[in-house]
Amino acid sequence: MTDEAEPGLHLNRWGDTSDPAPKQRGIRQDACSCFDQSRPHPRARVGFHAERQDTSAQGWRHLLELIDEAAADGREEFRPLTGLSPQERRQIITLPPSIAQLTAVKRLVLYGSNLVRLPPGSGP
């Protein structure tokens, strides 16, 4: 018998935005500290992500399909993360330019994503 504690799951306090907890143990939970200002003195240096989006990844292609579906049905709320597997979610670091097709969307829920940048022209 071992004294090592089994790693615990951290539940998502905003469970309606994506899965409340990973269904499988061992799925890495990404933690970004590029803008960690929790250390008061000296202030941490801000870092920016240089990764490029892999547009051949399954998660990217699946997101494009979800965007097309949402644009076709004219929904007002878009929660793409609930339609992606945890592995697919990790593959999305940039929203595609096709997100601009979602002109009827009033609420875009991306909590818990790995997004590091938005496409140009995606703002109001």
Side-chain angles (χ1 to χ4, degrees), residues 28-95:
R28 190 177 95 182
Q29 298 297 310
D30 294 327
C32 174
S33 61
C34 66
F35 196 71
D36 182 9
Q37 297 295 312
S38 61
R39 292 174 281 152
H41 302 288
R43 283 282 197 205
R45 175 177 245 170
V46 175
F48 293 96
H49 291 263
E51 305 96 323
R52 293 183 152 263
Q53 176 64 56
D54 178 5
T55 57
S56 65
Q58 177 61 35
W60 177 263
R61 293 192 313 267
H62 194 174
L63 177 60
L64 294 176
E65 292 170 9
L66 293 172
I67 290 170
D68 289 343
E69 284 176 23
D73 66 26
R75 69 184 75 165
E76 293 187 358
E77 182 174 272
F78 185 49
R79 297 172 180 263
L81 299 181
T82 59
L84 298 171
S85 72
Q87 292 81 8
E88 289 175 328
R89 285 184 213 135
R90 293 190 72 234
Q91 296 170 352
I92 309 298
I93 60 170
T94 304
L95 288 178

